[in-house]
């Protein structure tokens, strides 16, 4: 019987304790009842998680592999996360660090619609890293934000991404802003095309609004001319993103923003491994581009943690096509050569706050970035 | 100018570092650009978070209070969480521990529809704690789950809550299960009424499904006879819950399940304080009942952390009406007297896995619980 497996890092006192904790996870995230009352037959044989292996890996740390059947998941991504780390997320010293999908999981959760290759095709940029300015700050009018879109797009940006904090505040309401920004990027693309440029900028508005209107807002954005969608799975849920990704009518690439997800990775003892959350789970939930804070910026990810994210974004055995990692958070043009050595060409390079410092020279910064990223 | 305030626990090296970190949070969660490029006028004066106070509170720990204007939030609960702890959730050593709402915040986010008093009125139970069996495990047929609903409801349960892992798997598809369980609880209530019982059991199905169908599924459940809704904000997002709570047509009480939220509270250095997450934010997001793992069960919350949750569920200065705390996780009838001393009458007492051990005597367990909780 085929199953998908999740590997957990478990803090325990000894082998016996580690085995008991693994058994507890297998119960907790499937049947959530004591072992002695698990019904015989289907529930015990199929639904109950099965501990495959518990191995010591360090001082007071064990690695446990638990196999789950797709029947315990059903058809919802939210329930898949319940099985992977729902109630177990509240157990002390339990961290999910790796997911190995089986065929049934891949069939129900196909992952990204476009992937790295698909996004590259949409931009028309055949080689080199992607230049991605971030449009902000909130509090600015729709016209001013649209002007930033125009200036960065006409200078050669590949993706024009809105700040994740642009959420339909009164200073720039969602529909007004998206319409103005999409038109500005379209105007820039027309000018690029006139000059013989084979590439185009893709506009990714931040899809916000009431939770049950997210899908309607995404449709509005597409109709207004958006080329992709930015969404925050840490606030709207991973399946909200997945449903946007799987919508054949929308048919747009998805960029996932890491806001509100910090506590899932910052503790060594809880939540998810960096690669699992920002690589494996983002792919599983349909992201084509996974934004994460680069090391050396104002967030505390290490070089190794960033490498793990990138590896899981690109792992050929992952769910769906390989996707684009997107490091950001206090980046500058000066850091680009180093970043390019680490992340390579299939990467979306974000530039946010420091772009604004350029003022009227904002186009020059984009052109500098473009040059630094062109092989 | 009125603002709401958030208090953060900050790990820092010294007073200067603590002040700099507070300034960084105020920037990060509003404008997300360096301080020197924040536009003068509206953005700087209104949108930018304002550090009110930074005070040392312990060894390498400071308390910082930051005031935010409602304009930085706009109208979306997701964006409110972005402002409170969006990107700042990824900063090391930053934990949000308290929210003080202002009038503007209360006006946009009214909180629970029913609250503790409203839920009590719906049950008809004028005094004493609420008996809440949990219907499980997944993998069981809709008919068997409905039979558990009937047996617990007819024996005197106040709320019949589905397990949060019942998510429309093939063994008990959502619509089939909800229809069967609602009918079973209605039958039990009719029998109770015939015997002169003034109280009734409320059936809370677990609202699951694709993220953009949650609202439709809640409407289906109401039409099938559900008396309330269980939802997992840690998977579907806090605003998905809020939108269900604020829906005048649905008009149902909401029970929030803590699945997948562990990493937000388990580290002293990241996420939210226990009371803020399971009390303040659950109220803000429309929960009438906030489920959390009791101390002494299989999860690691302390007595003090549980007390903090309860205090914030009931704080008269909180958002909207006081709500019902609901401790669970490995509870038994034997523990009820102690729990009642700690949590009092306005509390939903969960009983899950150990209920199943009673087999045919399941009604006796409910009656024992009822007796233990009746003043």
């Amino acid at each position: 019987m085929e199953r998908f497996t999740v590997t957990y890092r478990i803090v325990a006192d000894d082998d016996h304790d580690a085995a008991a904790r693994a058994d507890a996870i297998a119960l907790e995230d499937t049947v959530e009842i004591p072992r002695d009352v698990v019904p015989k037959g289907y529930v015990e044989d199929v639904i109950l998680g099965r501990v495959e292996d518990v191995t010591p890996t360090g001082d007071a740390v064990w690695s446990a592999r638990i196999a789950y059947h797709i029947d315990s998941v059903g058809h919802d991504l939210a329930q898949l996360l319940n099985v992977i780390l729902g109630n177990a997320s509240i157990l002390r010293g339990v961290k999910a660090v790796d997911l190995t999908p089986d065929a049934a999981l891949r069939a129900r959760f196909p992952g990204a619609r476009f992937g790295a290759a698909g996004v590259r095709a949409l931009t028309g940029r055949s080689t080199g890293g992607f230049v991605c300015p971030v449009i902000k700050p909130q509090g600015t009018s729709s016209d001013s934000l649209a002007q930033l879109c125009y200036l960065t797009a006409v200078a050669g940006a590949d993706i024009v991404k809105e700040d994740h904090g642009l959420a339909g505040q009164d200073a720039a309401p969602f529909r007004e802003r998206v319409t103005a920004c999409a038109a500005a990027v379209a105007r820039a693309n027309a000018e690029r095309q006139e000059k013989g440029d084979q590439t185009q900028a893709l506009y990714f508005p931040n899809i916000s609004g009431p939770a049950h209107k997210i899908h309607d807002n995404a449709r509005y954005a597409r109709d207004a001319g958006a080329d992709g969608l930015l969404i925050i799975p840490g606030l709207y849920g991973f399946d909200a993103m997945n449903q946007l990704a799987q919508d054949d009518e929308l048919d747009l690439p998805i960029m996932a923003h890491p806001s509100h997800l910090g506590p899932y990775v910052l503790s060594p003892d809880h939540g998810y491994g960096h690669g699992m959350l920002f690589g494996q789970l983002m792919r599983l939930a349909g992201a084509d581009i996974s934004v994460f804070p680069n090391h050396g910026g104002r967030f505390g990810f290490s070089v190794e943690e960033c490498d793990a994210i990138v590896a899981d974004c690109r792992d050929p055995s992952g769910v769906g096509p390989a996707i684009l990692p997107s490091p950001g958070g206090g980046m500058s043009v000066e850091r680009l050569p180093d970043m390019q050595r680490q992340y390579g060409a299939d990467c979306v390079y974000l530039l946010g706050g420091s772009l604004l410092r350029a003022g009227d020279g904002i186009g020059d910064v984009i052109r500098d970035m473009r040059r630094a990223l062109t092989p």
Side-chain angles (χ1 to χ4, degrees), chain A residues 1 26 31 66 82 113 126 135 162 167 220 296 318 331 343 349:
Chain A
M1 192 169 50
V31 292
I66 302 182
N82 250 343
R113 173 175 289 265
S126 57
I135 303 307
E162 287 188 346
Y220 180 88
M331 296 298 99
Y343 298 116
Y349 293 91

Side-chain angles (χ1 to χ4, degrees), chain A residues 36-263:
Chain A
D36 62 297
V37 294
V38 174
K40 297 281 173 208
Y42 178 70
V43 176
E44 182 175 56
D45 298 340
V46 178
I47 295 297
L48 179 62
R50 195 174 62 203
V51 177
E52 299 278 340
D53 186 58
V54 185
T55 311
T57 54
D59 191 27
V61 176
W62 277 255
S63 175
R65 202 156 43 83
I66 302 182
Y68 301 102
H69 193 276
I70 195 71
D71 279 13
S72 68
V73 170
H75 306 267
D76 299 333
L77 182 60
Q79 174 59 13
L80 173 60
L81 295 178
N82 250 343
V83 169
I84 293 174
L85 196 73
N87 272 6
S89 82
I90 323 177
L91 295 169
R92 290 208 168 270
V94 173
K95 189 179 181 86
V97 295
D98 191 57
L99 170 72
T100 302
D102 65 344
L105 194 77
R106 292 178 196 272
R108 293 197 188 180
F109 305 102
R113 173 175 289 265
F114 293 86
V119 172
R120 185 170 288 286
L122 292 174
T123 63
R125 174 88 54 205
S126 57
T127 57
F130 298 100
V131 175
C132 183
V134 184
I135 303 307
K136 48 182 164 181
Q138 66 138 304
T140 315
S141 71
S142 297
D143 282 350
S144 298
L145 295 167
Q147 178 64 7
L148 275 174
C149 287
Y150 170 76
L151 290 174
T152 54
V154 82
D158 296 303
I159 293 172
V160 176
K161 166 198 170 291
E162 287 188 346
D163 185 56
H164 73 286
L166 297 179
Q169 296 94 340
D170 295 339
F174 177 76
R175 293 190 167 203
E176 174 194 287
R177 186 186 82 237
V178 169
T179 304
C181 290
V185 173
R187 183 158 58 94
N189 280 333
E191 292 181 29
R192 280 165 66 164
Q193 205 175 5
E194 268 175 36
K195 289 182 188 160
D197 190 343
Q198 307 285 311
T199 67
Q200 64 169 346
L202 307 177
Y203 167 54
F204 278 59
N206 179 37
I207 300 304
S208 59
H212 64 319
K213 300 293 183 192
I214 283 292
H215 226 80
D216 293 343
N217 284 351
R219 286 199 193 94
Y220 180 88
R222 180 206 52 191
D223 293 345
D227 307 292
L229 307 169
L230 177 76
I231 185 165
I232 310 174
L235 291 172
Y236 286 107
F238 278 80
D239 192 49
M241 180 165 79
N242 180 49
Q243 296 302 332
L244 295 177
Q246 305 310 331
D247 188 320
D248 291 336
E249 211 182 311
L250 272 175
D251 195 28
L252 290 175
I254 309 283
M255 188 180 224
H257 193 281
S259 176
H260 209 241
L261 287 175

Side-chain angles (χ1 to χ4, degrees), chain A residues 322-335:
Chain A
I323 67 169
L324 295 166
S326 183
M331 296 298 99
S332 65
V333 175
E334 290 68 37
R335 289 196 64 193

Side-chain angles (χ1 to χ4, degrees), chain A residues 232-298:
Chain A
I232 310 174
L235 291 172
Y236 286 107
F238 278 80
D239 192 49
M241 180 165 79
N242 180 49
Q243 296 302 332
L244 295 177
Q246 305 310 331
D247 188 320
D248 291 336
E249 211 182 311
L250 272 175
D251 195 28
L252 290 175
I254 309 283
M255 188 180 224
H257 193 281
S259 176
H260 209 241
L261 287 175
Y264 284 108
V265 296
L266 289 179
S267 161
D269 293 339
H270 306 120
Y272 296 104
H274 287 72
M276 182 166 180
L277 181 61
F278 292 114
Q280 294 178 338
L281 294 187
M282 290 297 181
R283 284 174 73 167
L284 188 75
D288 299 285
I289 305 168
S290 176
V291 177
F292 64 93
N294 194 23
H295 60 90
R298 51 194 199 280

